[in-house]
Amino acid sequence: EIPKDSSVLFIMGPQTSFSPAEVELIKNYLYERNGRVLALIEPGRSHGLDTLLSDWAIFSPDCELQEQDTAGRSAEGDIVLRRLIDKPNPLTRVLREQDLPIIGSRFRNVRFDEGSTPDSTLSVTPLIFSSDNSWGETDYQRKPYKYDINRDQPGPLSVAVAAERAAGIRKGSTSSGGRLVVIGSSDLATNQRINRGGNQAFLIQAAV
């Protein structure tokens, strides 16, 4: 059960797949209670949320971002992302106004599902991107990495997406609909990185 007074549900780097029954609980929380969900998923982990993401027109292929732009790497070797959605957006406002990057060790592609059924009540907004000189490596267990046009995801890659319903689906509801924010990295929220760049500010904004 998701407590009735929950204002936001955090999914922070699941290590095993959610069961179908658990996924239904999350779906009901979003649909019936116009809930807020912030999900941080990472490469190489089976999270079991694919049907949930599909319902919200989000697709996250299992690949690992390879950032080749030298400006996109920190001195410690972490990936540093500064490319934001062109249009002003409340979730990225603090990053833009304070020129703060998102910093993490690994990212996966999270994007709008172009094969989804059109839905006038749903808006899906990619928020943060890698550089043009990047790709999503699908065979990331084998080194050295090399871009394969027939297999890998071409850059720039979206690594964070927000999906929002225009209105609540409950009959007679006048409230705004649910919101699902998915970020393709879980270590943004770890003790090691939460205070780096704009990680904390972005996560807080994505949760409210």
Side-chain angles (χ1 to χ4, degrees), residues 28-198:
N28 290 337
Y29 173 70
L30 281 164
Y31 280 111
E32 299 294 333
R33 293 163 54 186
N34 304 327
R36 297 287 188 270
V37 174
L38 173 58
L40 277 62
I41 57 178
E42 57 189 35
R45 296 287 184 184
S46 179
H47 47 69
L49 298 172
D50 296 296
T51 60
L52 171 67
L53 301 187
S54 179
D55 284 352
W56 287 73
I58 296 174
F59 179 53
S60 181
D62 186 20
C63 63
E64 183 175 331
L65 173 64
Q66 301 302 314
E67 181 58 78
Q68 300 301 300
D69 192 327
T70 55
R73 290 283 182 177
S74 71
E76 296 78 18
D78 280 344
I79 296 173
V80 179
L81 301 177
R82 295 182 178 275
R83 189 168 183 174
L84 308 175
I85 180 176
D86 292 334
K87 297 180 180 179
N89 186 282
L91 299 187
T92 57
R93 180 183 298 120
V94 64
L95 301 180
R96 187 179 302 279
E97 291 179 349
Q98 300 184 32
D99 191 27
L100 296 172
I102 295 299
I103 302 174
S105 63
R106 304 174 73 208
F107 289 88
R108 66 186 288 166
N109 187 201
V110 184
R111 65 177 191 255
F112 170 65
D113 185 356
E114 296 177 354
S116 61
T117 303
D119 185 343
S120 61
T121 71
L122 180 66
S123 64
V124 182
T125 307
L127 301 169
I128 301 173
F129 305 85
S130 63
S131 72
D132 292 333
N133 190 27
S134 67
W135 77 88
E137 175 65 50
T138 57
D139 190 14
Y140 51 83
Q141 303 298 335
R142 182 182 301 175
K143 295 182 179 180
Y145 302 133
K146 184 177 181 181
Y147 176 64
D148 185 334
I149 192 173
N150 297 312
R151 181 185 62 193
D152 297 329
Q153 307 292 322
L157 299 183
S158 165
V159 300
V161 163
E164 298 183 78
R165 297 283 175 186
I169 67 167
R170 187 177 294 174
K171 188 175 181 180
S173 173
T174 58
S175 64
S176 61
R179 184 176 75 187
L180 172 61
V181 179
V182 184
I183 303 172
S185 175
S186 64
D187 64 8
L188 303 182
T190 62
N191 290 342
Q192 183 180 1
R193 292 184 176 86
I194 186 67
N195 292 317
R196 298 189 64 191

Side-chain angles (χ1 to χ4, degrees), residues 2-8 29 33:
I2 297 176
K4 290 182 171 54
D5 61 351
S6 297
S7 57
V8 62
Y29 173 70
R33 293 163 54 186

